[in-house]
Amino acid sequence: MNKEDHQLARKLLTTYLTGTQLSTIHLASFVSLDFINLYDAMNPEISLRIETDRLYYGDVESSKDWVVRHMTKEEMLHLIVTLHTERITGVRIGKTIPHLFLTFSSGKTLVVNGSDTYYESWTVDLRLNAEATASIVAVPGDELAVFASDNALFQDRVTD
């Protein structure tokens, strides 16, 4: 995985997703989640598009044998709806495989599989305004791609 893309993605996701909570669920051939930060009016519009059916939800820190597994659409929706009142307290991306780890206020972590041979497993879109946009995508081949506008507004708020 490209080290620079991984670092930029980690910084963007940590800066903007931490403190948010689920606000809207959209269903299509994929699941799209919109997030809101009730405590930061400057936070961008954030959406997570999940195109994989392989997820894990639980305690990844103390459990060494956790594994992402296939979930039915009904199981995914039930899990996602139960998360709507929780805030995201931590975000990370796997080092060798771009699994997305979202830790919630309950202490449990949602892991979205980032590994697929043929399709993009997940995408996070950030939009501060019409000029400042970024997309972080788990692409086929266990890679991560970051597409960001040249606008410096993101860089002003991103922390190390």
Side-chain angles (χ1 to χ4, degrees):
M1 200 172 353
N2 179 297
K3 185 177 180 179
E4 291 78 23
D5 281 347
H6 187 274
Q7 288 176 340
L8 178 58
R10 181 186 53 78
K11 287 178 184 179
L12 287 169
L13 292 176
T14 301
T15 299
Y16 293 109
L17 267 175
T18 302
T20 65
Q21 64 188 68
L22 182 63
S23 66
T24 311
I25 302 169
H26 304 277
L27 301 175
S29 59
F30 54 86
V31 175
S32 181
L33 309 175
D34 294 335
F35 293 89
I36 188 170
N37 189 330
L38 299 173
Y39 304 99
D40 184 356
M42 292 298 295
N43 219 42
E45 295 175 20
I46 304 171
S47 65
L48 166 62
R49 186 162 122 174
I50 302 172
E51 294 192 37
T52 183
D53 66 349
R54 294 175 19 201
L55 304 171
Y56 172 82
Y57 181 69
D59 186 359
V60 297
E61 301 306 324
S62 63
S63 175
K64 301 289 186 222
D65 58 352
W66 66 269
V67 63
V68 291
R69 67 174 186 84
H70 293 280
M71 286 189 175
T72 66
K73 188 81 91 172
E74 291 80 18
E75 289 174 311
M76 285 177 65
L77 291 175
H78 181 266
L79 171 59
I80 290 166
V81 167
T82 62
L83 297 174
H84 84 279
T85 59
E86 295 191 44
R87 291 181 67 198
I88 294 176
T89 59
V91 179
R92 66 186 168 107
I93 300 171
K95 292 183 180 179
T96 57
I97 297 174
H99 294 327
L100 178 62
F101 294 79
L102 301 175
T103 302
F104 289 86
S105 52
S106 66
K108 293 183 180 178
T109 301
L110 174 66
V111 182
V112 181
N113 178 59
S115 178
D116 193 88
T117 306
Y118 303 107
Y119 66 91
E120 299 168 348
S121 299
W122 57 265
T123 302
V124 174
D125 291 316
L126 307 167
R127 177 183 293 268
L128 275 178
N129 57 43
E131 292 83 36
T133 61
S135 293
I136 299 120
V137 185
V139 296
D142 296 341
E143 291 294 327
L144 193 64
V146 178
F147 307 97
S149 63
D150 291 332
N151 194 302
L153 289 173
F154 278 112
Q155 296 302 324
D156 291 344
R157 296 201 55 211
V158 173
T159 59
D160 286 322

